[in-house]
Amino acid sequence: MNMFLSSFYGIIDSKNRVAIPSAFRSTISNSDEKTFIFKSLKYECLEIHLSSKITSIIRSLDEKDFFSKKNDHVKTAILSDLEEINIDKDGRFTVKEHLQKFSKLSKEIIFIGKGNHFEIWEKKLGENHKKISRAKFK
């Protein structure tokens, strides 16, 4: 199973493009799946998922209780903002302005691997998130 592991720094260029770290690009290309971005429901960051994970999320919500309003709200929150990203030959994609505003992205960013997906954070917010996460286990 290919996974998104580790953390990498990057930038948003003048054309609002980000270059996905080569380790993450390799995981994406080895999967041969579509790649999606959406606003995190937990943090002020962006989440990147492969289509198999999106399918798994939908299936698990449908299996719990298809008629649940709570599950419907979760599906609406994720799927209504879900966007497929097109990665160019140099491993870059454009981050739309509304996603940059939501996640407070500036020029410097950090990619944080989460196993089956990865997140894109504004650099200082992401570093702080990593610090807080580590402190929770001391």
mmCIF file of all heavy atoms in Angstrom, residues 2-34:
data_model
loop_
_atom_site.group_PDB
_atom_site.id
_atom_site.type_symbol
_atom_site.label_atom_id
_atom_site.label_comp_id
_atom_site.label_asym_id
_atom_site.label_seq_id
_atom_site.Cartn_x
_atom_site.Cartn_y
_atom_site.Cartn_z
ATOM 1 N N ASN A 2 0.639 2.120 -0.917
ATOM 2 C CA ASN A 2 1.364 3.384 -0.967
ATOM 3 C C ASN A 2 0.778 4.346 0.048
ATOM 4 O O ASN A 2 -0.444 4.427 0.209
ATOM 5 C CB ASN A 2 1.262 4.001 -2.364
ATOM 6 C CG ASN A 2 1.991 3.184 -3.393
ATOM 7 O OD1 ASN A 2 3.091 2.715 -3.139
ATOM 8 N ND2 ASN A 2 1.393 2.992 -4.546
ATOM 9 N N MET A 3 1.656 5.083 0.719
ATOM 10 C CA MET A 3 1.174 6.019 1.724
ATOM 11 C C MET A 3 1.894 7.356 1.584
ATOM 12 O O MET A 3 2.992 7.423 1.048
ATOM 13 C CB MET A 3 1.383 5.451 3.125
ATOM 14 C CG MET A 3 0.550 4.223 3.401
ATOM 15 S SD MET A 3 0.380 3.851 5.152
ATOM 16 C CE MET A 3 2.033 3.462 5.620
ATOM 17 N N PHE A 4 1.234 8.383 2.123
ATOM 18 C CA PHE A 4 1.812 9.720 2.177
ATOM 19 C C PHE A 4 2.454 9.880 3.548
ATOM 20 O O PHE A 4 1.748 9.963 4.560
ATOM 21 C CB PHE A 4 0.723 10.775 1.962
ATOM 22 C CG PHE A 4 0.031 10.658 0.633
ATOM 23 C CD1 PHE A 4 -1.240 10.122 0.538
ATOM 24 C CD2 PHE A 4 0.664 11.088 -0.530
ATOM 25 C CE1 PHE A 4 -1.877 10.018 -0.689
ATOM 26 C CE2 PHE A 4 0.041 10.988 -1.763
ATOM 27 C CZ PHE A 4 -1.239 10.451 -1.839
ATOM 28 N N LEU A 5 3.783 9.899 3.576
ATOM 29 C CA LEU A 5 4.521 9.944 4.835
ATOM 30 C C LEU A 5 5.468 11.134 4.853
ATOM 31 O O LEU A 5 5.963 11.557 3.817
ATOM 32 C CB LEU A 5 5.323 8.661 5.017
ATOM 33 C CG LEU A 5 4.529 7.355 4.964
ATOM 34 C CD1 LEU A 5 5.470 6.164 5.004
ATOM 35 C CD2 LEU A 5 3.523 7.278 6.095
ATOM 36 N N SER A 6 5.729 11.651 6.031
ATOM 37 C CA SER A 6 6.694 12.714 6.279
ATOM 38 C C SER A 6 6.093 14.099 6.030
ATOM 39 O O SER A 6 4.892 14.232 5.784
ATOM 40 C CB SER A 6 7.951 12.510 5.428
ATOM 41 O OG SER A 6 9.010 13.287 5.945
ATOM 42 N N SER A 7 6.947 15.103 6.124
ATOM 43 C CA SER A 7 6.548 16.496 5.890
ATOM 44 C C SER A 7 7.550 17.131 4.934
ATOM 45 O O SER A 7 8.738 16.799 4.959
ATOM 46 C CB SER A 7 6.556 17.297 7.194
ATOM 47 O OG SER A 7 5.628 16.782 8.101
ATOM 48 N N PHE A 8 7.056 18.049 4.119
ATOM 49 C CA PHE A 8 7.900 18.723 3.134
ATOM 50 C C PHE A 8 7.476 20.183 3.042
ATOM 51 O O PHE A 8 6.292 20.495 3.160
ATOM 52 C CB PHE A 8 7.746 18.077 1.748
ATOM 53 C CG PHE A 8 8.064 16.614 1.741
ATOM 54 C CD1 PHE A 8 7.053 15.666 1.908
ATOM 55 C CD2 PHE A 8 9.365 16.168 1.560
ATOM 56 C CE1 PHE A 8 7.347 14.307 1.905
ATOM 57 C CE2 PHE A 8 9.658 14.809 1.555
ATOM 58 C CZ PHE A 8 8.639 13.878 1.729
ATOM 59 N N TYR A 9 8.444 21.042 2.807
ATOM 60 C CA TYR A 9 8.155 22.460 2.635
ATOM 61 C C TYR A 9 8.033 22.780 1.151
ATOM 62 O O TYR A 9 8.621 22.110 0.306
ATOM 63 C CB TYR A 9 9.262 23.316 3.263
ATOM 64 C CG TYR A 9 9.283 23.206 4.759
ATOM 65 C CD1 TYR A 9 10.199 22.367 5.397
ATOM 66 C CD2 TYR A 9 8.380 23.912 5.539
ATOM 67 C CE1 TYR A 9 10.214 22.250 6.783
ATOM 68 C CE2 TYR A 9 8.386 23.808 6.919
ATOM 69 C CZ TYR A 9 9.302 22.968 7.528
ATOM 70 O OH TYR A 9 9.303 22.852 8.892
ATOM 71 N N GLY A 10 7.253 23.811 0.858
ATOM 72 C CA GLY A 10 7.082 24.241 -0.519
ATOM 73 C C GLY A 10 6.652 25.694 -0.555
ATOM 74 O O GLY A 10 6.615 26.374 0.480
ATOM 75 N N ILE A 11 6.331 26.136 -1.759
ATOM 76 C CA ILE A 11 5.856 27.508 -1.940
ATOM 77 C C ILE A 11 4.682 27.516 -2.910
ATOM 78 O O ILE A 11 4.498 26.580 -3.688
ATOM 79 C CB ILE A 11 6.950 28.457 -2.479
ATOM 80 C CG1 ILE A 11 7.443 27.982 -3.856
ATOM 81 C CG2 ILE A 11 8.103 28.603 -1.507
ATOM 82 C CD1 ILE A 11 8.200 29.033 -4.626
ATOM 83 N N ILE A 12 3.925 28.596 -2.856
ATOM 84 C CA ILE A 12 2.931 28.878 -3.879
ATOM 85 C C ILE A 12 3.574 29.916 -4.785
ATOM 86 O O ILE A 12 4.006 30.976 -4.318
ATOM 87 C CB ILE A 12 1.627 29.435 -3.268
ATOM 88 C CG1 ILE A 12 0.987 28.396 -2.359
ATOM 89 C CG2 ILE A 12 0.657 29.854 -4.376
ATOM 90 C CD1 ILE A 12 -0.301 28.854 -1.709
ATOM 91 N N ASP A 13 3.651 29.605 -6.071
ATOM 92 C CA ASP A 13 4.317 30.533 -6.983
ATOM 93 C C ASP A 13 3.384 31.678 -7.402
ATOM 94 O O ASP A 13 2.228 31.734 -6.968
ATOM 95 C CB ASP A 13 4.927 29.798 -8.183
ATOM 96 C CG ASP A 13 3.911 29.252 -9.177
ATOM 97 O OD1 ASP A 13 2.723 29.643 -9.143
ATOM 98 O OD2 ASP A 13 4.309 28.428 -10.022
ATOM 99 N N SER A 14 3.863 32.556 -8.235
ATOM 100 C CA SER A 14 3.104 33.743 -8.637
ATOM 101 C C SER A 14 1.851 33.405 -9.452
ATOM 102 O O SER A 14 0.961 34.232 -9.598
ATOM 103 C CB SER A 14 3.992 34.695 -9.430
ATOM 104 O OG SER A 14 4.456 34.049 -10.606
ATOM 105 N N LYS A 15 1.771 32.172 -9.955
ATOM 106 C CA LYS A 15 0.587 31.728 -10.705
ATOM 107 C C LYS A 15 -0.323 30.845 -9.846
ATOM 108 O O LYS A 15 -1.164 30.115 -10.359
ATOM 109 C CB LYS A 15 1.013 30.973 -11.956
ATOM 110 C CG LYS A 15 1.757 31.857 -12.957
ATOM 111 C CD LYS A 15 2.130 31.063 -14.185
ATOM 112 C CE LYS A 15 2.879 31.952 -15.162
ATOM 113 N NZ LYS A 15 3.321 31.198 -16.344
ATOM 114 N N ASN A 16 -0.127 30.882 -8.523
ATOM 115 C CA ASN A 16 -0.913 30.110 -7.557
ATOM 116 C C ASN A 16 -0.749 28.598 -7.717
ATOM 117 O O ASN A 16 -1.650 27.834 -7.398
ATOM 118 C CB ASN A 16 -2.392 30.493 -7.603
ATOM 119 C CG ASN A 16 -2.612 31.905 -7.146
ATOM 120 O OD1 ASN A 16 -1.934 32.392 -6.246
ATOM 121 N ND2 ASN A 16 -3.555 32.593 -7.765
ATOM 122 N N ARG A 17 0.419 28.174 -8.178
ATOM 123 C CA ARG A 17 0.692 26.754 -8.329
ATOM 124 C C ARG A 17 1.563 26.266 -7.174
ATOM 125 O O ARG A 17 2.391 27.005 -6.657
ATOM 126 C CB ARG A 17 1.424 26.476 -9.644
ATOM 127 C CG ARG A 17 0.613 26.785 -10.882
ATOM 128 C CD ARG A 17 1.435 26.592 -12.121
ATOM 129 N NE ARG A 17 2.640 27.425 -12.048
ATOM 130 C CZ ARG A 17 3.446 27.672 -13.064
ATOM 131 N NH1 ARG A 17 3.213 27.138 -14.245
ATOM 132 N NH2 ARG A 17 4.508 28.440 -12.927
ATOM 133 N N VAL A 18 1.337 25.011 -6.815
ATOM 134 C CA VAL A 18 2.216 24.352 -5.845
ATOM 135 C C VAL A 18 2.777 23.101 -6.510
ATOM 136 O O VAL A 18 2.091 22.452 -7.304
ATOM 137 C CB VAL A 18 1.498 23.976 -4.527
ATOM 138 C CG1 VAL A 18 0.993 25.190 -3.805
ATOM 139 C CG2 VAL A 18 0.375 22.997 -4.747
ATOM 140 N N ALA A 19 4.008 22.809 -6.186
ATOM 141 C CA ALA A 19 4.643 21.589 -6.674
ATOM 142 C C ALA A 19 4.529 20.537 -5.580
ATOM 143 O O ALA A 19 5.016 20.736 -4.463
ATOM 144 C CB ALA A 19 6.101 21.846 -7.022
ATOM 145 N N ILE A 20 3.866 19.455 -5.889
ATOM 146 C CA ILE A 20 3.702 18.365 -4.922
ATOM 147 C C ILE A 20 5.068 17.718 -4.702
ATOM 148 O O ILE A 20 5.788 17.446 -5.678
ATOM 149 C CB ILE A 20 2.685 17.331 -5.449
ATOM 150 C CG1 ILE A 20 1.310 17.988 -5.618
ATOM 151 C CG2 ILE A 20 2.580 16.134 -4.508
ATOM 152 C CD1 ILE A 20 0.290 17.116 -6.322
ATOM 153 N N PRO A 21 5.449 17.463 -3.446
ATOM 154 C CA PRO A 21 6.739 16.818 -3.179
ATOM 155 C C PRO A 21 6.865 15.494 -3.951
ATOM 156 O O PRO A 21 5.878 14.775 -4.136
ATOM 157 C CB PRO A 21 6.714 16.566 -1.665
ATOM 158 C CG PRO A 21 5.738 17.570 -1.146
ATOM 159 C CD PRO A 21 4.711 17.742 -2.215
ATOM 160 N N SER A 22 8.063 15.191 -4.394
ATOM 161 C CA SER A 22 8.264 14.015 -5.257
ATOM 162 C C SER A 22 7.799 12.716 -4.604
ATOM 163 O O SER A 22 7.247 11.848 -5.290
ATOM 164 C CB SER A 22 9.718 13.906 -5.694
ATOM 165 O OG SER A 22 10.567 13.745 -4.580
ATOM 166 N N ALA A 23 7.982 12.560 -3.294
ATOM 167 C CA ALA A 23 7.528 11.336 -2.620
ATOM 168 C C ALA A 23 6.007 11.205 -2.704
ATOM 169 O O ALA A 23 5.475 10.110 -2.926
ATOM 170 C CB ALA A 23 7.971 11.337 -1.164
ATOM 171 N N PHE A 24 5.297 12.314 -2.552
ATOM 172 C CA PHE A 24 3.832 12.293 -2.642
ATOM 173 C C PHE A 24 3.395 12.088 -4.095
ATOM 174 O O PHE A 24 2.424 11.389 -4.372
ATOM 175 C CB PHE A 24 3.222 13.574 -2.089
ATOM 176 C CG PHE A 24 3.347 13.732 -0.590
ATOM 177 C CD1 PHE A 24 2.870 14.874 0.027
ATOM 178 C CD2 PHE A 24 3.933 12.772 0.216
ATOM 179 C CE1 PHE A 24 2.953 15.052 1.398
ATOM 180 C CE2 PHE A 24 4.038 12.933 1.590
ATOM 181 C CZ PHE A 24 3.553 14.080 2.188
ATOM 182 N N ARG A 25 4.105 12.725 -5.028
ATOM 183 C CA ARG A 25 3.807 12.567 -6.463
ATOM 184 C C ARG A 25 3.941 11.109 -6.871
ATOM 185 O O ARG A 25 3.143 10.586 -7.640
ATOM 186 C CB ARG A 25 4.773 13.414 -7.291
ATOM 187 C CG ARG A 25 4.152 14.625 -7.858
ATOM 188 C CD ARG A 25 4.975 15.353 -8.898
ATOM 189 N NE ARG A 25 6.392 15.160 -8.989
ATOM 190 C CZ ARG A 25 7.303 15.989 -8.514
ATOM 191 N NH1 ARG A 25 6.956 17.077 -7.867
ATOM 192 N NH2 ARG A 25 8.580 15.741 -8.679
ATOM 193 N N SER A 26 4.965 10.464 -6.349
ATOM 194 C CA SER A 26 5.200 9.053 -6.653
ATOM 195 C C SER A 26 4.027 8.201 -6.161
ATOM 196 O O SER A 26 3.556 7.309 -6.880
ATOM 197 C CB SER A 26 6.503 8.599 -5.995
ATOM 198 O OG SER A 26 6.706 7.240 -6.188
ATOM 199 N N THR A 27 3.539 8.474 -4.968
ATOM 200 C CA THR A 27 2.395 7.747 -4.422
ATOM 201 C C THR A 27 1.158 7.954 -5.297
ATOM 202 O O THR A 27 0.429 7.011 -5.595
ATOM 203 C CB THR A 27 2.104 8.192 -2.969
ATOM 204 O OG1 THR A 27 3.255 7.902 -2.163
ATOM 205 C CG2 THR A 27 0.895 7.485 -2.396
ATOM 206 N N ILE A 28 0.949 9.190 -5.735
ATOM 207 C CA ILE A 28 -0.200 9.499 -6.593
ATOM 208 C C ILE A 28 -0.077 8.775 -7.926
ATOM 209 O O ILE A 28 -1.025 8.118 -8.379
ATOM 210 C CB ILE A 28 -0.335 11.027 -6.797
ATOM 211 C CG1 ILE A 28 -0.751 11.704 -5.487
ATOM 212 C CG2 ILE A 28 -1.333 11.341 -7.914
ATOM 213 C CD1 ILE A 28 -0.638 13.220 -5.508
ATOM 214 N N SER A 29 1.081 8.858 -8.562
ATOM 215 C CA SER A 29 1.226 8.238 -9.887
ATOM 216 C C SER A 29 1.185 6.715 -9.808
ATOM 217 O O SER A 29 0.676 6.062 -10.716
ATOM 218 C CB SER A 29 2.488 8.724 -10.591
ATOM 219 O OG SER A 29 3.626 8.392 -9.862
ATOM 220 N N ASN A 30 1.689 6.129 -8.728
ATOM 221 C CA ASN A 30 1.636 4.674 -8.559
ATOM 222 C C ASN A 30 0.207 4.179 -8.345
ATOM 223 O O ASN A 30 -0.100 3.031 -8.633
ATOM 224 C CB ASN A 30 2.512 4.223 -7.389
ATOM 225 C CG ASN A 30 3.978 4.316 -7.708
ATOM 226 O OD1 ASN A 30 4.381 4.360 -8.860
ATOM 227 N ND2 ASN A 30 4.802 4.356 -6.671
ATOM 228 N N SER A 31 -0.660 5.050 -7.832
ATOM 229 C CA SER A 31 -2.041 4.638 -7.551
ATOM 230 C C SER A 31 -2.897 4.623 -8.808
ATOM 231 O O SER A 31 -3.882 3.915 -8.877
ATOM 232 C CB SER A 31 -2.680 5.579 -6.533
ATOM 233 O OG SER A 31 -2.996 6.818 -7.149
ATOM 234 N N ASP A 32 -2.548 5.446 -9.791
ATOM 235 C CA ASP A 32 -3.325 5.571 -11.024
ATOM 236 C C ASP A 32 -4.784 5.943 -10.738
ATOM 237 O O ASP A 32 -5.704 5.461 -11.385
ATOM 238 C CB ASP A 32 -3.243 4.271 -11.834
ATOM 239 C CG ASP A 32 -3.573 4.488 -13.299
ATOM 240 O OD1 ASP A 32 -3.298 5.590 -13.811
ATOM 241 O OD2 ASP A 32 -4.131 3.559 -13.916
ATOM 242 N N GLU A 33 -4.983 6.778 -9.712
ATOM 243 C CA GLU A 33 -6.324 7.227 -9.328
ATOM 244 C C GLU A 33 -6.436 8.728 -9.540
ATOM 245 O O GLU A 33 -5.434 9.429 -9.610
ATOM 246 C CB GLU A 33 -6.586 6.937 -7.847
ATOM 247 C CG GLU A 33 -6.660 5.480 -7.487
ATOM 248 C CD GLU A 33 -6.989 5.292 -6.008
ATOM 249 O OE1 GLU A 33 -7.933 5.936 -5.522
ATOM 250 O OE2 GLU A 33 -6.284 4.507 -5.355
ATOM 251 N N LYS A 34 -7.679 9.205 -9.574
ATOM 252 C CA LYS A 34 -7.909 10.647 -9.597
ATOM 253 C C LYS A 34 -7.544 11.205 -8.232
ATOM 254 O O LYS A 34 -7.608 10.509 -7.217
ATOM 255 C CB LYS A 34 -9.365 10.957 -9.924
ATOM 256 C CG LYS A 34 -9.731 10.607 -11.343
ATOM 257 C CD LYS A 34 -11.164 10.973 -11.641
ATOM 258 C CE LYS A 34 -11.480 10.649 -13.100
ATOM 259 N NZ LYS A 34 -12.845 11.056 -13.447
#
